[in-house]
Amino acid sequence: MSWNRRHLLTLEELSLDELNQIHSTATAFKKILTRSVKKVPALRGKTIVNLFLEPSTRTRMAFDMAAKRLSADVISLDAKTSSTTKGESLRDTAQNIEALQADMIVVRHSAPGSPLYLSKILGIPVINAGDGAHEHPTQGLLDTFTMRERIGDLKGRRVVILGDILYSRVARSNIQALIKFGADVTLCGPSTLVPHRFESFGVKVSHNLREALHDAEVVMLLRIQHERQNAGMFPSIGEYTSMFGLNQERAAWLHPDAIIMHPGPINRGVEIDSELADGPRSVILDQVTNGIAVRMAVLYLCSGGQPEYVTSSAA
Amino acid sequence: MPSLWIKNARVIDPANKRDAVGELFVKNGLIVDSLSAAEKKKAKVIDADGLVACPGLVDIHVHFREPGQTHKENIATGSHCAAAGGFTTVVCMPNTSPPASNTGTIQFIKDAIKRDAVVKVLPTGCITVDMKGEKLASIGSLAKAGVVAITDDGDCVQSNELMRRACEYAKMFDLPLMDHCQDHSMTVGAVMNEGEVSARLGLRGWPNAAEDLIVARNIILATYTGAHIHLQHISSANSVELIRRAKSRGVSISAEATPHHIALTDDCIETYDPKFKMNPPLRTAADRDAIIEGLRDGSIDIVATDHAPHTDYEKDQEFDYAPNGILGLETSLAVTLDVLVRKHRFRLPKVIDLMTRKPAELMKLPAGTLSVGAAADICLFDPKEEWTYDAKAGFSKSSNSPWHGETLRGRVKTTIVDGKVIYDGKTVKKRG
């Protein structure tokens, strides 16, 4: 088992073997998080730059924390503090970061494909922390990691992704990973946000919540943004909640052991009732914790580390 | 100016239904029947063995960026591209900076054409003031100033009422309207075709319905007002069908297809390369095939390039932010021959017709023919020669072409304007 990629740009490009390598590495790193000294020297002397040109709280903090747990030095830039506000191009900003001798760049950007673009320009590894509506590979990795941790092998398991699929990078990355793990994926939500063309990914599309949730073992909710309502994607938040919001009554349609997931931030009372978000079936906070372990694995592997080393010794 | 004696060419002149190996004679800048023995002795002889001689190509849709964006192109360099592509007459769009919506700007453009152009460049004017879609431009004055059509190309007049009035008003001056068919309300933030590829790439989609709606609107307005509306760069299969049906009823509309829409599909965008970003966007294989069938049966009248230069640094950025458009003039003939003749078995004279007589006829231009007495605007090309297109070594100020580095077949060898060789296969010479 060896890791040969320098960048992590999409889950679409990863093989099942590579997904497994990241997960097994993350499993080893997760153990570190429970120690009193939550740190290993794997990336000591390396500098990682988090270039977040779009707002983010948990992803940025998780990358920050993951890098520090690996003993890397971290510099974070956002849209306000980078020269992009002065009109500097992404190319120039990124090339300056490289010239400052950064060893790796983690990029969050509203433009799909921008991490791929940077990977062609830069000589250092590029990690995609979310590119527009395209992919959010580490989120897909931590979500599937959490699912496997909770329900085991995903082959043939019924997973529902519910909500704004059209604009969701989380959905796209999860779909790519889940398909490779052999899960039976159904996308559900209003037809404006879940168009049938998504069937080309190899998933089912349903606009009937009851049918979709029936006996599902995982339901992953996606955040509904008010701006979609203003864009005419659905009549009102109230109507969305009445048609597709997850409440206790609807959660009863799920498999008895089903888990409830959400990448955050949550709109309580919109896509999910508070009592479900905080209830025993919710793994939302597990996702956050796992986000550190998975990102440690990604930073470690893409900086040249090998899975064998960490699974046998680092943990 | 010496007379020209072009020998051994396969002369294709659709306007005169000519397709045979033979000779062409040019005297005093005009096509003539023959030269006297004495004139032949003095004439410049061009042995065109293995070459096709056709009327100089005509492109009714180019962007030469002057005034205002001459870092991308100007009338001099744009006309050089045209010459290198075999074009002798081109119609430039008015979305300059400022837009060509008044006679002052048209005069500026005409002065630049007179001073710098090596081929015949004809201006268009805007339909609305500054292309804002709010108020009719001074269409009568623009007509008087010499525009050959009016268009808000790059934008589309969204108000049906304003477009209706533009049709009625322009008809007074016998001016055709050209329209870029795009319902803006359906394409906010859109950067590529809406479909399976955009769903996977997470890029905002431009549904073909947004084109179809305006095509249908324009068909209705052309029917209602009797004005002629030319539908620019059609990209959707449904639009082709709408046009086909309208033409069968005799509606006064025409339509164009670009080389890129008949050669490429939205699959090209897999790597987010902005050199494939254009408006309207590249669509599906089904759309592409429908456009080709439209060209075959006459639903689509002509090929036009939509030559749209942008500098490297403008194109070299995130796909979302890169400007729309690609170069077209230097590769148009080769790409069109490849798609239509080699892949889809069109007859060569039919393709020449799509690029010469028909576009000239649509805009009522004195071009696109080798008739005796016509201006000697001639293109000589080798339909078989393979060559590698180097956009950076081309004649444009820009190099934004999806065909950069590609091997193409069919190469322009000589371009003649008013009897003077202005392109010899390597260099462009000034008209004098």
Side-chain angles (χ1 to χ4, degrees), chain A residues 191-315:
Chain A
S191 51
T192 46
L193 294 175
V194 191
H196 276 277
R197 70 175 62 95
F198 275 85
E199 286 166 350
S200 65
F201 284 79
V203 299
K204 298 186 191 97
V205 168
S206 171
H207 308 303
N208 182 321
L209 186 62
R210 185 167 199 145
E211 273 178 22
L213 292 185
H214 177 70
D215 219 25
E217 293 164 274
V218 178
V219 58
M220 177 184 297
L221 306 171
L222 299 175
R223 195 161 72 93
I224 293 300
Q225 296 183 5
H226 289 263
E227 69 191 63
R228 305 280 179 251
Q229 179 197 333
N230 298 335
M233 303 302 277
F234 53 84
S236 68
I237 292 286
E239 173 150 321
Y240 178 85
T241 304
S242 75
M243 303 290 290
F244 295 102
L246 191 67
N247 54 28
Q248 287 286 15
E249 182 197 342
R250 290 165 178 174
W253 300 337
L254 295 162
H255 187 280
D257 299 326
I259 57 171
I260 297 170
M261 307 181 74
H262 196 305
I266 299 172
N267 286 317
R268 289 176 183 265
V270 177
E271 64 262 5
I272 185 168
D273 276 3
S274 257
E275 52 188 351
L276 286 173
D278 300 331
R281 300 165 104 181
S282 167
V283 298
I284 295 170
L285 294 176
D286 293 356
Q287 290 172 261
V288 177
T289 306
N290 288 336
I292 304 172
V294 160
R295 290 177 177 116
M296 286 171 78
V298 167
L299 296 177
Y300 172 75
L301 293 172
C302 290
S303 65
Q306 288 304 322
E308 298 91 334
Y309 172 76
V310 70
T311 50
S312 65
S313 64

Side-chain angles (χ1 to χ4, degrees), chain B residues 250-409:
Chain B
V251 180
S252 180
I253 51 160
S254 55
E256 73 192 29
T258 70
H260 46 276
H261 285 113
I262 60 174
L264 307 171
T265 66
D266 59 356
D267 285 338
C268 297
I269 296 165
E270 288 289 347
T271 59
Y272 298 91
D273 190 335
K275 74 184 177 194
F276 296 104
K277 184 177 177 186
M278 53 275 287
N279 187 9
L282 297 174
R283 299 209 188 267
T284 65
D287 290 304
R288 178 197 59 193
D289 293 347
I291 295 165
I292 292 167
E293 282 317 296
L295 284 165
R296 195 191 298 280
D297 71 16
S299 302
I300 306 284
D301 300 80
I302 62 162
V303 172
T305 65
D306 191 8
H307 177 83
H310 295 290
T311 62
D312 286 354
Y313 63 85
E314 289 164 310
K315 272 288 192 184
D316 178 21
Q317 51 182 327
E318 301 91 313
F319 193 88
D320 270 356
Y321 307 148
N324 288 306
I326 60 167
L327 299 181
L329 285 166
E330 291 178 66
T331 52
S332 176
L333 181 63
V335 172
T336 306
L337 291 176
D338 183 53
V339 174
L340 297 184
V341 177
R342 276 185 284 283
K343 295 194 175 118
H344 290 270
R345 303 283 163 207
F346 279 46
R347 290 180 57 249
L348 184 54
K350 161 94 176 171
V351 176
I352 301 299
D353 198 29
L354 294 169
M355 300 178 77
T356 58
R357 181 189 65 89
K358 284 180 126 187
E361 190 178 276
L362 280 181
M363 293 292 121
K364 303 183 190 77
L365 308 176
T369 174
L370 297 177
S371 298
V372 170
D377 296 345
I378 303 168
C379 168
L380 297 177
F381 67 93
D382 182 341
K384 293 180 181 159
E385 182 176 332
E386 290 194 355
W387 58 293
T388 301
Y389 174 56
D390 180 355
K392 292 182 191 300
F395 291 89
S396 176
K397 285 192 174 187
S398 300
S399 60
N400 52 315
S401 168
W403 285 283
H404 171 65
E406 297 290 319
T407 299
L408 303 173
R409 195 148 73 132

Side-chain angles (χ1 to χ4, degrees), chain B residues 53-310:
Chain B
C54 67
L57 306 181
V58 177
D59 188 350
I60 66 168
H61 191 159
V62 303
H63 299 267
F64 282 174
R65 310 297 191 201
E66 185 171 359
Q69 293 186 301
T70 50
H71 57 294
K72 300 172 192 248
E73 196 81 285
N74 59 26
I75 284 165
T77 58
S79 72
H80 286 208
C81 295
F87 291 88
T88 54
T89 300
V90 297
V91 173
C92 61
M93 295 296 108
N95 59 338
T96 48
S97 184
S101 61
N102 61 56
T103 53
T105 308
I106 295 296
Q107 191 55 51
F108 179 95
I109 293 168
K110 284 173 73 178
D111 289 346
I113 291 168
K114 194 173 175 190
R115 186 178 65 239
D116 298 328
V118 297
V119 303
K120 294 164 182 174
V121 181
L122 301 158
T124 54
C126 300
I127 297 174
T128 66
V129 174
D130 291 338
M131 295 175 57
K132 287 182 177 166
E134 294 166 353
K135 192 170 174 287
L136 289 184
S138 306
I139 295 168
S141 304
L142 291 170
K144 216 168 158 186
V147 303
V148 296
I150 52 169
T151 175
D152 276 4
D153 180 42
D155 269 317
C156 170
V157 178
Q158 297 296 292
S159 161
N160 298 334
E161 168 64 5
L162 192 62
M163 189 64 176
R164 170 248 175 113
R165 298 303 178 195
C167 288
E168 290 175 342
Y169 196 78
K171 192 165 180 282
M172 264 198 304
F173 310 101
D174 202 21
L175 267 186
L177 296 94
M178 304 166 93
D179 201 22
H180 168 126
C181 302
Q182 177 179 3
D183 182 321
H184 291 171
S185 69
M186 294 181 76
T187 58
V188 176
V191 295
M192 72 171 291
N193 180 47
E194 180 176 292
E196 287 182 10
V197 182
S198 68
R200 206 170 65 257
L201 298 180
L203 289 169
R204 196 69 68 89
W206 192 138
N208 53 26
E211 175 174 304
D212 304 338
L213 281 165
I214 299 294
V215 167
R217 186 270 309 256
N218 286 343
I219 289 168
I220 290 164
L221 290 179
T223 309
Y224 188 71
T225 64
H228 183 86
I229 303 181
H230 176 73
L231 308 168
Q232 296 175 296
H233 41 41
I234 289 300
S235 67
S236 133
N238 291 334
S239 287
V240 177
E241 185 55 26
L242 286 167
I243 295 162
R244 182 176 289 123
R245 289 185 194 177
K247 284 193 164 182
S248 73
R249 299 198 313 272
V251 180
S252 180
I253 51 160
S254 55
E256 73 192 29
T258 70
H260 46 276
H261 285 113
I262 60 174
L264 307 171
T265 66
D266 59 356
D267 285 338
C268 297
I269 296 165
E270 288 289 347
T271 59
Y272 298 91
D273 190 335
K275 74 184 177 194
F276 296 104
K277 184 177 177 186
M278 53 275 287
N279 187 9
L282 297 174
R283 299 209 188 267
T284 65
D287 290 304
R288 178 197 59 193
D289 293 347
I291 295 165
I292 292 167
E293 282 317 296
L295 284 165
R296 195 191 298 280
D297 71 16
S299 302
I300 306 284
D301 300 80
I302 62 162
V303 172
T305 65
D306 191 8
H307 177 83
H310 295 290

Side-chain angles (χ1 to χ4, degrees), chain A residues 20 22 60 83 88 109 127 154 159 176 180 196-197 201 205 217 221 228 259 277 282-283 293 304:
Chain A
N20 280 322
I22 296 173
R60 181 168 155 177
S83 288
E88 186 175 62
H109 197 304
I127 309 298
L154 297 181
V159 177
Q176 295 291 352
K180 283 168 186 150
H196 276 277
R197 70 175 62 95
F201 284 79
V205 168
E217 293 164 274
L221 306 171
R228 305 280 179 251
I259 57 171
S282 167
V283 298

Side-chain angles (χ1 to χ4, degrees), chain B residues 19-61:
Chain B
D19 178 9
V21 174
E23 298 171 309
L24 270 178
F25 301 103
V26 175
K27 185 175 152 186
N28 297 328
L30 303 176
I31 304 281
V32 292
D33 248 344
S34 62
L35 297 173
S36 67
E39 287 168 336
K40 279 183 179 175
K41 266 190 182 174
K42 289 186 191 162
K44 176 182 165 68
V45 176
I46 298 175
D47 185 357
D49 187 26
L51 306 183
V52 171
C54 67
L57 306 181
V58 177
D59 188 350
I60 66 168
H61 191 159

